[in-house]
Amino acid sequence: MASGGSSKIWSVFSLAAAIGAATVAKKTLNTSWKAATGKNPPANPADPDVEIWEAVAWAAASGTFIQIARMLAARKAAHYYAKSTGHLPAELQKDGQDASQASTPTS
């Protein structure tokens, strides 16, 4: 398959994984928030009627939890893609994380 086709397949595959993970994370987070606080999470944390501690807690918890879920889903999708095709998607093949290739910082 041409790399253009692989790139499109990866884009659709990673998007579906991210959307699925974010949806599950949001439902889990909403349920956990209700259990912990006894009320629904703030619909709009920027609303001045929402207490500041609640707005900050919701923003921090939801942002962190949803991003972690998306990252884990993307990693799982990349693993499945690599297992299916024999290589990582082009976007992930060179990430600059190889320690042997890193430049040494200068003071």
Side-chain angles (χ1 to χ4, degrees), residues 53-88:
W53 72 266
E54 188 175 16
V56 170
W58 176 250
S62 63
T64 301
F65 192 69
I66 289 170
Q67 281 303 111
I68 289 172
R70 289 179 64 198
M71 182 265 309
L72 292 173
R75 290 174 62 94
K76 190 71 168 173
H79 178 73
Y80 179 79
Y81 182 93
K83 205 170 170 181
S84 299
T85 64
H87 60 84
L88 285 172

Side-chain angles (χ1 to χ4, degrees), residues 12-84:
V12 170
F13 194 56
S14 64
L15 178 63
I19 290 171
T23 300
V24 170
K26 182 105 167 83
K27 287 181 186 248
T28 302
L29 190 58
N30 285 346
T31 303
S32 299
W33 185 270
K34 286 178 191 175
T37 65
K39 54 187 180 177
N40 289 326
N44 183 357
D47 182 351
D49 291 335
V50 175
E51 292 183 45
I52 189 71
W53 72 266
E54 188 175 16
V56 170
W58 176 250
S62 63
T64 301
F65 192 69
I66 289 170
Q67 281 303 111
I68 289 172
R70 289 179 64 198
M71 182 265 309
L72 292 173
R75 290 174 62 94
K76 190 71 168 173
H79 178 73
Y80 179 79
Y81 182 93
K83 205 170 170 181
S84 299

